[in-house]
C-alpha cells in the first residue's frame, strides 16, 4: 500500500472542476495536498512541469518549513475533475506519528522535485 493512500480518508477534502486553479505562484502557502481522484498540473509560467495523479502529493514545502512564510513557487490547476485532501502542518505531524513512513514518502517526493530543478 502506498504511504499516501492513507490520505484518502482525510476529513478536509476539496473538489475542483477541470481547469480550476487551486493556487497560483506567489500565493501564501499553508497546506500540502494529496490527489484522491483526478489530476493536478503544476505549472511554471506556461509550462507544465509535473502532473500529479491519485495517491500523489504536492505543495509539501508549505508544511515542512513554517518558520518563514514562503510563497508558492508554481501554479496548481486541475486538468480533470479532481478531489483533493488538504493537509495543514498540525495534521501532517499527526499523520507522521500515526505512520512514520509517511514522512519518508514526503521527503522522497521533495528530493525528487529538487533533483529535477524546480
Amino acid at each position: 500500500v502506498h504511504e499516501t493512500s492513507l490520505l484518502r480518508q482525510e476529513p478536509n477534502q476539496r473538489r475542483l472542476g477541470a481547469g480550476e486553479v487551486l493556487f497560483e505562484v506567489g500565493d501564501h502557502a499553508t497546506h500540502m495536498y494529496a490527489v484522491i481522484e483526478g489530476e493536478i498540473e503544476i505549472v511554471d509560467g506556461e509550462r507544465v512541469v509535473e502532473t500529479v495523479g491519485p495517491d500523489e502529493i504536492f505543495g509539501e514545502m508549505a508544511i515542512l518549513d513554517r518558520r518563514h512564510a514562503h510563497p508558492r513557487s508554481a501554479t496548481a490547476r486541475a486538468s480533470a475533475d479532481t478531489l483533493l485532501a488538504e493537509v495543514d502542518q498540525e495534521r501532517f505531524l499527526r499523520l507522521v506519528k500515526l505512520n512514520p513512513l509517511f514522512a519518508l514518502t514526503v521527503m522522497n517526493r521533495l528530493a525528487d522535485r529538487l533533483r529535477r530543478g524546480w
Side-chain angles (χ1 to χ4, degrees):
V1 175
H2 199 276
E3 297 305 326
T4 56
S5 65
L6 67 96
L7 293 170
R8 290 180 167 272
Q9 305 305 316
E10 274 303 293
N12 295 324
Q13 296 185 356
R14 184 168 177 180
R15 288 198 177 276
L16 298 175
E20 193 173 343
V21 172
L22 176 63
F23 56 76
E24 294 188 16
V25 65
D27 286 354
H28 181 69
T30 59
H31 292 77
M32 67 172 264
Y33 299 89
V35 177
I36 298 171
E37 301 169 2
E39 196 171 76
I40 294 287
E41 293 177 331
I42 307 300
V43 182
D44 182 16
E46 296 298 315
R47 183 175 66 106
V48 175
V49 294
E50 183 174 7
T51 301
V52 184
D55 295 326
E56 293 183 316
I57 61 168
F58 63 100
E60 65 280 352
M61 287 179 67
I63 50 97
L64 292 176
D65 184 11
R66 292 297 303 268
R67 293 172 296 152
H68 303 93
H70 294 286
R72 294 287 185 186
S73 57
T75 296
R77 70 173 176 232
S79 56
D81 290 346
T82 301
L83 178 63
L84 300 171
E86 288 186 310
V87 179
D88 64 13
Q89 187 180 47
E90 182 180 326
R91 181 64 181 149
F92 171 74
L93 293 174
R94 278 188 259 148
L95 288 167
V96 169
K97 286 180 186 176
L98 179 69
N99 185 345
L101 289 178
F102 177 66
L104 187 58
T105 298
V106 172
M107 288 186 285
N108 285 336
R109 279 300 274 172
L110 180 58
D112 181 54
R113 289 184 174 119
L114 291 172
R115 270 190 225 100
R116 287 186 277 138
W118 73 268

